């Protein structure tokens, strides 16, 4: 055989070997692969996965860290509870927040979603959400769980019940409303509305026993799970020896519930975000930058009272400057530092941006400053927007969730007041995120015997 022919044959053989190796390797990998949890992405920080294709990291699975073990145990236990509920078909808990319902702001809605999801797990029911405004923003995150999307046909709801369920939820009576909610009188014996706005009563096992006769439990409220409620459920599921009955498990449950059910939709990730003094970027690009291992992302929330969100905040206090500088120098560890400023008011956001931009020109510590450019109405609570165009309310929801996701993906989150909006981001964020108060620059622990991030809704 001629030398040229031998070379061609050897090249062809090598190509076949490489093809078989890749083909068989891929088949094996797909056969063995299980769904990635958000913390298992090896190339990015521990946080939401956003359909990441990164290979799972074995370091977490073999970690002796108690926080890592607790996190995995809590997440897996909750997932198993929902899978069992789906198999048993005992009933449903449906969180309701429609256009005509008064649901509060995003902090209230997040608390309601988490409270109703945990109520479903605690009572052996499947979980659904009836909130048309929510569906374009988030997708199902976990193919091992049934979709959270509400479908009246799937749930086999009668036409007479559907007609009654069209009534508006009267949230103003949450504290006083008996169960079942008399505003929905006439529902069949299998359905009831639970109105719990500003009420903690649904958290107790005694009250939950009264839900037993109802296959369809519609939930309207703004309170999340509590430490005591979680501890009772953990003892029921895991026994007294369970490591995740500690107070830290309660905070892990928020992280697990959110990340096992929800991920930003493709539409939201492609949404163009305009920052002050820069062109638009898709949200996905910003989140990818924030999640890089060589980037330190610190977010400060400049909050003003809801009714006065157009008034500028006093951000020029030297204390703010020293707090953010000290936190960045302490935790950045030589990485490129990005400061993100979020606010519920347009003037406070601009004022804060100009101030820190000026400091940056004086060789301050931030390589870049992000401030979401917003105009007009900012609050998604439609009780504040009774005279506002519905289109502005819809825009406020999108832009509010963008700011919220930037807070979720912070290495350090500096909270201006303990309002529900930033606290919900802290609870949905990876447990490695650190939170500090803006007025004293002190840590605000999510968990422990005396958690500091409750905002009257989450503990």
């Amino acid at each position: 055989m001629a030398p040229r022919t031998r070379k061609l044959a050897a090249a062809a053989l090598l190509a076949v070997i490489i093809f078989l190796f890749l083909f068989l390797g891929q088949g094996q990998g797909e056969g063995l692969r299980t769904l990635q949890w958000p913390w298992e992405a090896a190339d990015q920080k521990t946080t939401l996965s956003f359909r990441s294709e990164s290979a799972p990291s074995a370091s977490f699975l073999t970690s002796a860290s108690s926080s890592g073990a607790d996190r995995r145990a809590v997440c897996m236990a909750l997932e198993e509870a929902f899978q069992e509920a789906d198999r048993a078909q005992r009933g449903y808990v449906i969180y309701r927040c429609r256009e005509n319902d008064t649901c509060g702001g995003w902090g209230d809605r997040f608390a309601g979603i988490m409270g109703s999801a945990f109520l479903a797990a605690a009572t052996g029911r499947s979980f659904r959400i009836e909130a048309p405004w929510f569906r374009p923003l988030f997708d199902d995150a976990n193919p091992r769980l049934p979709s959270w999307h509400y479908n009246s046909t799937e749930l086999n709801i009668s036409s007479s019940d559907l007609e009654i369920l069209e009534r508006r939820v009267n949230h103003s009576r949450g504290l006083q409303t008996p169960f079942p909610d008399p505003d929905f009188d006439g529902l069949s014996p299998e359905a009831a509305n639970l109105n719990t706005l500003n009420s903690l009563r649904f958290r107790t096992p005694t009250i939950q026993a009264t839900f037993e006769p109802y296959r369809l439990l519609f939930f309207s409220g703004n309170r999340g799970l509590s430490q005591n409620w979680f501890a009772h459920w953990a003892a029921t599921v895991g026994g007294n020896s369970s490591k995740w009955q500690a107070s830290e498990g309660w905070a892990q449950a928020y992280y697990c519930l959110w990340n096992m059910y929800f991920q930003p939709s493709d539409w939201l990730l492609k949404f163009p975000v305009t920052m002050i003094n820069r062109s638009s970027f898709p949200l996905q690009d910003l989140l990818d930058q924030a999640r890089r291992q060589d980037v330190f992302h610190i977010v400060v929330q400049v909050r003003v009272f809801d009714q006065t969100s157009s008034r500028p905040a006093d951000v020029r206090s030297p204390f703010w400057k020293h707090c953010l500088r000290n936190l960045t120098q302490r935790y950045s560890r030589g990485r490129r530092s990005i400061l993100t400023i979020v606010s519920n008011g347009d003037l406070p956001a601009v004022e804060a941006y100009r101030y820190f931009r000026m400091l940056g020109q004086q060789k301050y510590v931030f390589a870049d400053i992000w401030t979401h450019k917003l105009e007009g109405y900012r609050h998604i609570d439609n009780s504040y927007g009774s005279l506002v165009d519905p289109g502005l309310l819809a825009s406020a929801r999108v832009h509010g969730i963008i700011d919220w996701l930037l807070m979720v993906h912070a290495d350090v989150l500096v909270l201006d007041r303990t309002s529900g909006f930033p606290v919900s981001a802290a609870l949905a964020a990876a447990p490695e995120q650190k939170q500090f108060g803006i007025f004293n620059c002190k840590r605000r622990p999510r968990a422990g015997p005396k958690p500091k991030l409750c905002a009257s809704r989450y503990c």
Side-chain angles (χ1 to χ4, degrees), residues 50-51 264-271 282-285 287:
F50 294 130
R51 305 169 180 81
S265 66
D266 286 329
W267 177 85
L268 182 61
L269 291 173
K270 294 174 182 176
F271 191 88
L283 174 61
Q284 177 75 74
D285 289 356
L287 295 176

Side-chain angles (χ1 to χ4, degrees), residues 392-425:
L392 292 179
L393 278 173
S395 175
R397 290 169 186 154
V398 175
H399 292 292
I401 293 300
I402 288 171
D403 279 348
W404 186 81
L405 286 170
L406 289 171
M407 288 193 291
V408 169
H409 290 271
D411 296 294
V412 169
L413 176 59
V414 184
L415 291 73
D416 179 2
R417 304 171 187 262
T418 51
S419 69
F421 184 61
V423 171
S424 62

